[in-house]
Amino acid sequence: MSFVGKVLVVVQVVLSVCFMGFAGAVFTAQTNWRNESLKLKDNVASMQKNMNELESEYSNYKTEMTQKMNDALSQAQTAKAANDALKAQNKSYQNQLETVRAERDTSVAQAETTGEEANFRRQESDRQRVVNKTLHDTINDLRANIKSLEDTIFTKSIQEKTLTAKHNKVLEELNYLNKIVSNLGIDPNDPAIAGMQAPPPAVEGVIINTKKDKRNGTRFVEVSLGSDDGLSKGHQLYVYRFGNKENGNRPKYLGKIELVYVDPDTAVGTVIDAAKNGVIEKGDHVNSKL
């Protein structure tokens, strides 16, 4: 073998080793990128789950805070109305008191004219003093009630400010969560998301049609309820049938459906839980609560 041939053989061996190392590096890098991709997918799924839990907690918290704020406002309005009524009653008592004082002064002046008449007027004055004392005591009680109601109004005002601050804080947290949801590429106004965020309202309707998909065996049920009744895609309804005299008129549970399509007046759902001893038929009833 000539010298040039030997050099070419050596060069070929060196290049083979280099290509082998390059292939190993490419394989290692590909494996690392694949692991990173799986980790990112797991992180996205975890963040989605946390977001759903936060949205559920926020919905419950918002409902509770709104109810408390409405109750506080109602109590404050009731207290204010009672306060106005007491003020009007107090003014009426003051007018009565002025009238009684005028009558007493007139009686005293007339009592000084004659002795006999004076004794009578003195007795009348004593009676008027008793009335005056009663009126004074009543006025003092009313003033105490007014002071108590003013304190109540002040306390309710502080509670209202606190609830308003909490409400604003919750709104800020909601805006922050909406930004996170938007960054994840999820539309918060999606009907499916809305259906998962809140339970269905208390509704009751009937099944107007049933159909079975021959390809995959899925059973579809059309109900007489829709978005006008507060339903959304993803809501679940229970199916039952009214009883008869043989079973004591007790309703019979037939299964549960999940809505997959909703329009204003009707909705279509798939059977996700069917009772073993019953078949869902047209005319059966659906309800959002058992």
Side-chain angles (χ1 to χ4, degrees):
M1 181 181 292
S2 65
F3 177 76
V4 175
K6 292 179 180 180
V7 171
L8 291 175
V9 170
V10 171
V11 171
Q12 185 177 5
V13 171
V14 172
L15 290 176
S16 298
V17 173
C18 291
F19 284 130
M20 185 180 298
F22 179 75
V26 170
F27 178 77
T28 303
Q30 181 181 2
T31 303
N32 292 337
W33 278 108
R34 186 170 180 272
N35 293 335
E36 290 296 327
S37 175
L38 292 176
K39 289 181 180 179
L40 288 175
K41 287 182 179 179
D42 293 337
N43 290 337
V44 169
S46 177
M47 291 179 66
Q48 179 67 33
K49 181 179 179 181
N50 292 335
M51 182 193 69
N52 293 336
E53 293 176 354
L54 287 173
E55 288 178 344
S56 179
E57 292 176 0
Y58 166 71
S59 179
N60 295 334
Y61 180 78
K62 180 180 179 181
T63 301
E64 182 181 356
M65 290 299 102
T66 301
Q67 183 63 36
K68 289 184 178 180
M69 185 171 67
N70 292 335
D71 293 341
L73 290 174
S74 177
Q75 293 177 2
Q77 292 174 354
T78 302
K80 183 178 180 182
N83 182 28
D84 293 338
L86 289 174
K87 286 183 178 179
Q89 190 175 9
N90 182 29
K91 185 176 181 181
S92 175
Y93 283 139
Q94 287 179 347
N95 293 334
Q96 292 180 11
L97 179 61
E98 293 297 329
T99 301
V100 170
R101 285 177 177 174
E103 291 176 358
R104 183 196 61 188
D105 294 339
T106 301
S107 299
V108 171
Q110 291 177 354
E112 293 177 352
T113 57
T114 60
E116 198 174 30
E117 203 175 26
N119 291 331
F120 175 77
R121 294 300 181 186
R122 192 176 299 110
Q123 294 175 1
E124 186 178 0
S125 177
D126 292 338
R127 290 194 296 269
Q128 292 298 334
R129 287 193 183 94
V130 173
V131 173
N132 290 341
K133 184 177 183 304
T134 302
L135 290 174
H136 278 296
D137 293 340
T138 302
I139 291 173
N140 291 333
D141 292 339
L142 291 174
R143 287 176 178 172
N145 290 335
I146 292 172
K147 182 64 171 59
S148 176
L149 291 173
E150 289 176 348
D151 293 340
T152 302
I153 293 173
F154 178 74
T155 302
K156 296 300 180 183
S157 176
I158 293 176
Q159 292 178 355
E160 180 184 0
K161 291 180 180 178
T162 303
L163 291 173
T164 302
K166 289 182 179 179
H167 178 68
N168 293 333
K169 183 178 179 181
V170 169
L171 289 179
E172 292 177 358
E173 293 176 354
L174 176 61
N175 292 331
Y176 176 72
L177 290 175
N178 285 334
K179 290 181 180 178
I180 294 177
V181 171
S182 298
N183 291 334
L184 293 175
I186 300 173
D187 184 8
N189 297 321
D190 192 314
I193 299 298
M196 292 187 292
Q197 289 175 346
V203 294
E204 184 174 356
V206 297
I207 293 176
I208 58 179
N209 196 9
T210 62
K211 185 177 181 181
K212 187 174 183 180
D213 192 336
K214 296 181 179 179
R215 291 177 299 175
N216 54 20
T218 302
R219 294 198 62 192
F220 294 97
V221 176
E222 185 178 3
V223 298
S224 62
L225 302 170
S227 58
D228 289 346
D229 302 295
L231 296 179
S232 301
K233 181 180 178 182
H235 279 160
Q236 296 181 355
L237 302 175
Y238 298 96
V239 184
Y240 63 94
R241 182 177 300 149
F242 283 140
N244 49 40
K245 295 182 179 180
E246 296 179 357
N247 58 11
N249 294 323
R250 292 180 300 176
K252 180 180 180 181
Y253 175 76
L254 299 177
K256 184 166 60 174
I257 64 173
E258 182 175 340
L259 300 183
V260 296
Y261 174 78
V262 179
D263 64 14
D265 298 320
T266 61
V268 176
T270 58
V271 179
I272 60 174
D273 179 26
K276 295 182 180 179
N277 57 349
V279 178
I280 299 175
E281 298 176 352
K282 180 180 178 180
D284 291 334
H285 291 255
V286 294
N287 199 325
S288 56
K289 298 182 182 297
L290 281 176

